[in-house]
Amino acid sequence: MNMNDIIGKKRDGGKLNQEEIEYFVSGYTDGSIPDYQASALLMAIYLQKMDKEETFHLTRAMKCSGDVIDLSGIEGIKVDKHSTGGVGDKTTLVVAPLAAACGVPIAKMSGRGLGFTGGTVDKMESIPGFQTTVEADKFMEQVNTIGLSVIGQTAHIAPADKKIYALRDVTATVGNMSLISSSIMSKKLASGSDAIVLDVKCGDGAFMENFEDACILGKMMVEIGNADHKKTIAVITDMNQPLGKAVGNSLEVIEAIDTLKGKGPSDITELSLTLAGIMIFAGGKAESKEQGYEMAKHALESGEALNKLSEFIEGQGGNPEILNDYSKFPQHTCTKEIACHKSGYVNKIAAKAIGLASQHSGAGRATKEDTIDLSAGIYLHKKVGDKVSKGEVLATVYGTDVEKVAKSVEEAEKAFIISENAPKKEELIKKIII
Ligand code: URA
């Protein structure tokens, strides 16, 4: 077998078999296949596509390229949740305590933010003392005692994806369904949970801009998960404006806490209850997703989920006093408001533009080596559909670097479109694929 033949076969529209796919994945991971040949194959896959069987083989080969975590030491049906990435998406911080408070063990590995989307690990690190690197036995013990632990993903999980994703990023081969679903699912399947709930974002702040493509991606990932004997459910949700009002690390953690206190924005609250309800159902604690939703709602209203968040923070070395004293979060030293230039309705808040503006305020990194400003970000006082008057404040930008905050304001201003008439309301939860 050689790479040249494999590239040629795919270039001409052929179907790759399991051995050829495994040859490529293992050879590229161990360095014996060079970037130029891997790039050529990725472009051939991008143009000619892969069928379902090829995508399954690719996912499995990538999953098996590194450690496959054994969570059997944790009792019960472990449920993982993954978002395909969006702006202001802090749902893990709400959903995980909700589901754990209803008895579903959550042993989750999360990532850092890169580019315009944030990452749960960075957000949690804005909690003073919180540790995201925890030994495996301590991680398992915490899930068995508290029912919830979230840590950073180790470099040993699906290392093939790490290399292939980095290459796709610079060879214009990201936007292919088989490559995206194998990338996401290889990591999820290697992380060891028994069931997976996928939040597939759809809109201008997501990988999939239109509904049809998001459904195809969701369906493909559900089939991959089910074929690996993991109960997998995908929820297609809107990402045409940022989720909630806060974008940026500590701002988002505060919004997640407020949501668990029953004072969160309606979109975050609704999405979190829906996802938690599905997780409770997938974890065998409810007979239907509707019953799971009611259980999650009770956990929110009774304060049980907020208590679970407190135990979780303390279990990982963080200071639970932050739940009632937000001054203990990293503090900004500079703020700037964005005022509305005319009266009307907020017609659009471009999610990607807000994500980029937040990144440039200091909240995100352009390369993995950048350090981030945990206090920085954007707070949206108005959301799509709100009536606004000239001069009213649309958003506030926070940070510690005056120049970065000024640049962010310039960009965030352009994300708002004000119209004379109220816009059509977008559905937040568009479809559930079981
Ligand atoms: N997220 C991933 O992990 N991989 C992709 O290809 C796209 C989004």
Side-chain angles (χ1 to χ4, degrees), residues 82 84 161 165 168 174 179-180 183-184 187 207:
H82 182 82
T84 57
D161 175 60
Y165 191 80
R168 284 167 58 211
V174 170
L179 295 176
I180 295 177
S183 165
I184 292 175
K187 289 175 285 207
F207 278 103

Side-chain angles (χ1 to χ4, degrees), residues 219-283:
K219 188 161 178 281
M220 195 181 276
M221 293 196 290
V222 166
E223 288 180 5
I224 292 172
N226 290 340
D228 214 59
H229 311 293
K230 313 273 185 195
K231 187 173 194 167
T232 308
I233 300 171
V235 187
I236 314 293
T237 69
D238 183 55
M239 189 33 74
N240 277 304
Q241 65 170 328
L243 195 58
K245 295 184 167 183
V247 182
N249 300 291
S250 57
L251 294 174
E252 292 192 39
V253 178
I254 291 170
E255 187 166 81
I257 297 168
D258 280 343
T259 304
L260 288 174
K261 288 179 179 171
K263 298 186 291 188
S266 58
D267 56 352
I268 282 284
T269 306
E270 190 52 29
L271 179 59
S272 300
L273 290 174
T274 302
L275 292 173
I278 294 172
M279 289 171 78
I280 295 163
F281 165 59

Side-chain angles (χ1 to χ4, degrees), residues 106-379:
I106 308 288
K108 184 164 169 47
M109 289 172 204
S110 286
R112 292 190 183 276
L114 188 63
F116 71 91
T117 62
T120 304
V121 168
D122 293 327
K123 291 171 199 176
M124 292 189 309
E125 283 180 353
S126 66
I127 300 169
F130 195 97
Q131 299 300 312
T132 53
T133 312
V134 172
E135 292 298 326
D137 52 347
K138 171 103 188 0
F139 172 62
M140 304 258 200
E141 189 195 312
Q142 179 165 319
V143 183
N144 273 330
T145 51
I146 296 171
L148 167 60
S149 183
V150 182
I151 58 171
Q153 191 172 298
T154 77
H156 310 297
I157 290 188
D161 175 60
K162 215 169 176 205
K163 284 193 81 176
I164 294 172
Y165 191 80
L167 194 61
R168 284 167 58 211
D169 211 18
V170 293
T171 55
T173 52
V174 170
N176 169 279
M177 296 282 180
S178 294
L179 295 176
I180 295 177
S181 44
S182 57
S183 165
I184 292 175
M185 291 307 288
S186 60
K187 289 175 285 207
K188 291 290 106 185
L189 297 178
S191 298
S193 283
D194 307 303
I196 303 162
V197 176
L198 299 160
D199 181 1
V200 181
K201 300 286 182 202
C202 158
D204 96 295
F207 278 103
M208 293 296 137
E209 294 204 3
N210 73 61
F211 176 67
E212 288 72 29
D213 285 348
C215 289
I216 297 171
L217 178 67
K219 188 161 178 281
M220 195 181 276
M221 293 196 290
V222 166
E223 288 180 5
I224 292 172
N226 290 340
D228 214 59
H229 311 293
K230 313 273 185 195
K231 187 173 194 167
T232 308
I233 300 171
V235 187
I236 314 293
T237 69
D238 183 55
M239 189 33 74
N240 277 304
Q241 65 170 328
L243 195 58
K245 295 184 167 183
V247 182
N249 300 291
S250 57
L251 294 174
E252 292 192 39
V253 178
I254 291 170
E255 187 166 81
I257 297 168
D258 280 343
T259 304
L260 288 174
K261 288 179 179 171
K263 298 186 291 188
S266 58
D267 56 352
I268 282 284
T269 306
E270 190 52 29
L271 179 59
S272 300
L273 290 174
T274 302
L275 292 173
I278 294 172
M279 289 171 78
I280 295 163
F281 165 59
K285 299 288 176 189
E287 278 171 19
S288 64
K289 55 184 174 28
E290 291 76 17
Q291 190 189 7
Y293 182 98
E294 289 307 319
M295 289 170 71
K297 198 160 171 240
H298 177 264
L300 187 140
E301 288 169 357
S302 63
E304 286 164 27
L306 186 66
N307 289 341
K308 191 54 73 185
L309 179 69
S310 175
E311 287 174 1
F312 159 59
I313 290 173
E314 198 166 10
Q316 285 184 230
N319 182 355
E321 286 171 23
I322 51 116
L323 296 181
N324 294 311
D325 182 359
Y326 297 161
S327 72
K328 291 194 177 345
F329 279 99
Q331 295 295 302
H332 58 267
T333 52
C334 167
T335 64
K336 219 162 181 312
E337 291 179 341
I338 297 172
C340 191
H341 56 88
K342 65 175 185 187
S343 297
Y345 290 87
V346 179
N347 186 287
K348 189 171 170 55
I349 309 175
K352 190 170 177 180
I354 292 289
L356 283 167
S358 169
Q359 179 193 341
H360 299 150
S361 73
R365 48 174 87 72
T367 70
K368 281 200 222 76
E369 291 70 37
D370 289 350
T371 50
I372 53 176
D373 177 353
L374 293 167
S375 76
I378 302 176
Y379 190 84

